Amino acid sequence: MRLPATLFWVFACGQAIAAEPFGRAAIEGAEGIIPGQQVHVVVDIFAPDFFTSPPQYPLFEVPAALVTLSDDRAQNLVQTIADVQYSGIRRSYVIVPEKPGSFMLPEIAIDFGYSANGSAIKAQVRVALPSFDVSAAPNQAASPFAARNLTVSQSFDRSPADLKAGDAVVRTIVIFAEDTQAMLIPPVDLGRAAGVAQYVKPPSLTDGVEQRGIGRSVETGSTRTETVVYTTSAAGSFQAPPVSYQWFDLDAHAAATATLPAVDIVVAKAPSTERIDPKFDPPGEDQGKNAWPVVLLSCAAALACFVAIVAWQRGSARAWAKRRRMSRRNSPRRRLRRLRTIIRVGPDPAIYRALQDWSGSLGFQSISDWAEAQGNPRLSAQVIILERRLFRSRDMQLDRGKFADAITLAATNKGRARKSALPDLNPAA
């Protein structure tokens, strides 16, 4: 009876030993791909038992295509193969081809950790990504932008038909689209409004935006917000030009155009201010009889002056104390301490704003100029990663410890970065 039991345990252990992690990849909707369309490449990584560290999905380059990791949260999977239960993690790459042709995707290596027999094991799985073909639609524009459920809307911060000379009105245009990324949405041709001055602000790009669609359903997409300010200087009737926005509808598989109508800007003449000249009564014979009211008013004025002087002195003291507190709070050491704290625990936008204030106070035009002036490759690399996370994709991670240490080193060597390149006037012999 012992021999079969021994064989059973040997067979079970053999299965456990043979259980190895593996990966697989597939393309969602690989048929009818056109230039500008998002191609979702789904990659699953499986490991026996459970993961001890998540898979690290690397970025890669594909000629004539934009490659990013999807911002969607990783999906957990469970699968049983040959009586062995595997845990899985799924993430997606988003690839946007820029032109027709065949796109060959590389083989990628994914590192992770998993548990085997109670021990943590570091592993690497190589996954061959599938290829796909892209064909241009017959009526697609030369510079494609493809999306789903695109809408264009506009709003004004005040009524454009009820302005006065010298007023300003802000026009905001929002492009919302699904199955695309905000950085891929082309700019809007705002045109020129004749007769009024206009100032165009930098666009705002946002992903993961939810809005109510038809039937009160919630749609999630990306937005590009364009803002233009019209300033009026004279009375008259003007017009904010219409907007025509071209795109390719992936559902209809046809070119489409979204439009906004022109808007009338009516400016009235600014009201004139009329001055009322003061009137003085000529002095009469009874002027001396009204001396007492004058004396009382003089006393009241003197008392008011005294109170004002006391209040001013107290206010000056408070202002001086406030300036002292602000001076201590904004000392270089405390500002450096606050900056290091923000870098270690703050969100990316807060780090960027703090670095802008820091570099601006040192006389630099931008964060990049300041980082290059320090001559520290580690600092420059972390600044590049921060700007990539803010303005492109969150595919790279900040090393907050190295970032904070590099800031400290730059602060202690600030004199070295500003040192003059001129030689000494009286060099030692």
Side-chain angles (χ1 to χ4, degrees):
M1 293 299 294
R2 291 182 180 180
L3 183 59
T6 302
L7 291 176
F8 171 78
W9 286 111
V10 170
F11 176 75
C13 292
Q15 278 192 322
I17 295 174
E20 296 290 340
F22 65 94
R24 64 191 181 194
I27 295 178
E28 292 183 348
E31 299 296 331
I33 301 174
I34 64 170
Q37 178 180 348
Q38 287 194 134
V39 179
H40 297 269
V41 180
V42 180
V43 181
D44 298 338
I45 300 298
F46 287 93
D49 210 346
F50 60 90
F51 287 93
T52 57
S53 62
Q56 302 299 313
Y57 290 82
L59 277 180
F60 52 88
E61 294 185 358
V62 177
L66 174 67
V67 180
T68 58
L69 269 172
S70 174
D71 291 333
D72 296 338
R73 296 182 59 182
Q75 182 179 353
N76 295 323
L77 308 171
V78 176
Q79 185 170 348
T80 302
I81 302 176
D83 296 331
V84 177
Q85 181 171 304
Y86 289 81
S87 299
I89 295 179
R90 169 177 293 176
R91 288 208 64 181
S92 299
Y93 288 96
V94 178
I95 303 175
V96 182
E98 299 174 353
K99 63 181 183 180
S102 296
F103 288 80
M104 307 296 294
L105 303 186
E107 182 182 70
I108 59 175
I110 301 177
D111 298 317
F112 57 92
Y114 72 99
S115 175
N117 298 324
S119 300
I121 298 177
K122 296 293 184 181
Q124 183 183 85
V125 169
R126 304 189 70 86
V127 180
L129 302 181
S131 303
F132 60 90
D133 295 325
V134 178
S135 300
N139 53 354
Q140 189 174 10
S143 55
F145 167 60
R148 288 186 168 89
N149 298 330
L150 183 142
T151 59
V152 180
S153 59
Q154 69 178 349
S155 61
F156 293 84
D157 68 330
R158 59 191 302 179
S159 173
D162 189 20
L163 303 178
K164 295 180 176 58
D167 288 346
V169 60
V170 180
R171 185 187 193 186
T172 303
I173 299 176
V174 179
I175 302 98
F176 174 87
E178 298 180 39
D179 202 11
T180 188
Q181 300 175 56
M183 63 180 176
L184 299 177
I185 302 177
V188 181
D189 184 6
L190 298 172
R192 294 291 304 179
V196 296
Q198 71 180 45
Y199 166 71
V200 179
K201 295 183 179 180
S204 173
L205 307 178
T206 309
D207 291 309
V209 178
E210 294 184 352
Q211 73 172 19
R212 292 288 180 181
I214 300 176
R216 305 297 293 174
S217 61
V218 178
E219 300 171 346
T220 302
S222 302
T223 60
R224 180 188 181 100
T225 303
E226 303 272 9
T227 304
V228 57
V229 181
Y230 299 112
T231 303
T232 64
S233 58
S237 296
F238 312 97
Q239 194 174 70
V243 170
S244 179
Y245 195 81
Q246 296 182 349
W247 60 293
F248 191 87
D249 191 343
L250 291 173
D251 291 330
H253 210 71
T257 302
T259 60
L260 291 175
V263 178
D264 293 330
I265 300 177
V266 180
V267 182
K269 184 178 179 181
S272 58
T273 56
E274 296 182 358
R275 187 180 66 180
I276 301 177
D277 296 329
K279 296 181 179 180
F280 299 95
D281 294 330
E285 297 179 355
D286 57 348
Q287 183 176 2
K289 299 180 180 179
N290 298 327
W292 278 109
V294 174
V295 173
L296 293 177
L297 288 175
S298 299
C299 294
L303 180 61
C305 290
F306 175 76
V307 172
I309 292 173
V310 173
W312 177 80
Q313 289 179 343
R314 294 182 61 184
S316 299
R318 286 195 298 268
W320 178 83
K322 183 177 180 181
R323 287 195 298 270
R324 289 285 298 172
R325 289 195 301 270
M326 292 299 295
S327 177
R328 290 195 299 270
R329 185 175 184 272
N330 291 323
S331 64
R333 180 178 298 179
R334 293 195 177 187
R335 291 180 65 241
L336 177 60
R337 187 184 306 167
R338 290 197 299 271
L339 179 58
R340 285 174 54 89
T341 301
I342 293 173
I343 290 174
R344 289 186 178 277
V345 301
D348 294 348
I351 297 175
Y352 194 78
R353 288 193 298 270
L355 286 176
Q356 281 183 319
D357 294 340
W358 178 268
S359 58
S361 67
L362 296 177
F364 291 92
Q365 295 294 325
S366 66
I367 299 174
S368 300
D369 293 342
W370 166 75
E372 292 177 3
Q374 311 312 310
N376 187 337
R378 287 188 176 181
L379 176 62
S380 298
Q382 295 302 317
V383 170
I384 291 173
I385 292 174
L386 175 64
E387 292 178 339
R388 180 185 179 95
R389 287 171 59 84
L390 286 171
F391 306 119
R392 184 177 177 183
S393 63
R394 303 177 65 85
D395 55 287
M396 302 180 70
Q397 296 295 327
L398 283 172
D399 191 328
R400 294 174 179 262
K402 290 182 179 179
F403 206 170
D405 293 342
I407 292 291
T408 303
L409 181 62
T412 55
N413 296 339
K414 62 182 179 180
R416 185 180 305 172
R418 297 292 184 88
K419 186 177 180 181
S420 174
L422 295 175
D424 294 335
L425 294 177
N426 297 310

